[in-house]
Amino acid sequence: MMRIVASDEDQLTVITETFRLLGDPTRLKILLACLSEPKCVNDVASEVGITGSLTSHHLRLLRGARLVRAERQGRQIFYVAADSHVNAMLAEMVAHIRQPAEDEDDT
């Protein structure tokens, strides 16, 4: 397991900003929509239920944080999760949320 120490201020700043971006439910939905396969802005917007321009804005932020990457196919740009680290991070978070807390009573 990688250890991050408090003296790695640059890394801490990047991690803080990444989680701040993911703290927005709309951005999180957009990222989840892009996990399984590349999708164009209109498909993501339709799936999430927001406008294309707002989707583009959020995708720009997610791309800047290296959470998604853009792939041009002809005249369209498709977005997909940047790498396996992003998929793993979200899968682990979902597993964590689904697991009952250790200190919960079974009564």
Side-chain angles (χ1 to χ4, degrees):
M1 173 187 268
M2 182 187 336
R3 184 165 185 255
I4 299 174
V5 295
S7 63
D8 297 334
E9 290 298 324
D10 290 341
Q11 287 181 356
L12 289 172
T13 299
V14 171
I15 292 168
T16 301
E17 285 301 309
T18 300
F19 281 112
R20 184 187 64 74
L21 281 171
L22 294 176
D24 180 282
T26 301
R27 276 193 288 272
L28 185 55
K29 287 179 191 176
I30 290 170
L31 183 56
L32 291 169
C34 295
L35 286 183
S36 60
E37 64 184 348
K39 293 184 179 170
C40 68
V41 172
N42 290 336
D43 290 344
V44 174
S46 176
E47 188 172 326
V48 175
I50 60 175
T51 65
S53 61
L54 186 55
T55 302
S56 292
H57 169 73
H58 287 300
L59 283 166
R60 193 173 318 112
L61 295 172
L62 292 169
R63 188 174 176 195
R66 300 180 331 148
L67 294 169
V68 297
R69 68 179 175 358
E71 301 174 349
R72 181 172 291 281
Q73 294 180 13
R75 301 185 90 200
Q76 286 193 310
I77 299 176
F78 289 78
Y79 293 88
V80 67
D83 56 38
S84 62
H85 297 112
V86 174
N87 288 14
M89 173 187 63
L90 291 173
E92 287 296 320
M93 186 56 68
V94 168
H96 173 73
I97 297 303
R98 288 183 176 163
Q99 180 179 355
E102 291 179 14
D103 60 350
E104 283 184 2
D105 291 336
D106 290 339
T107 57

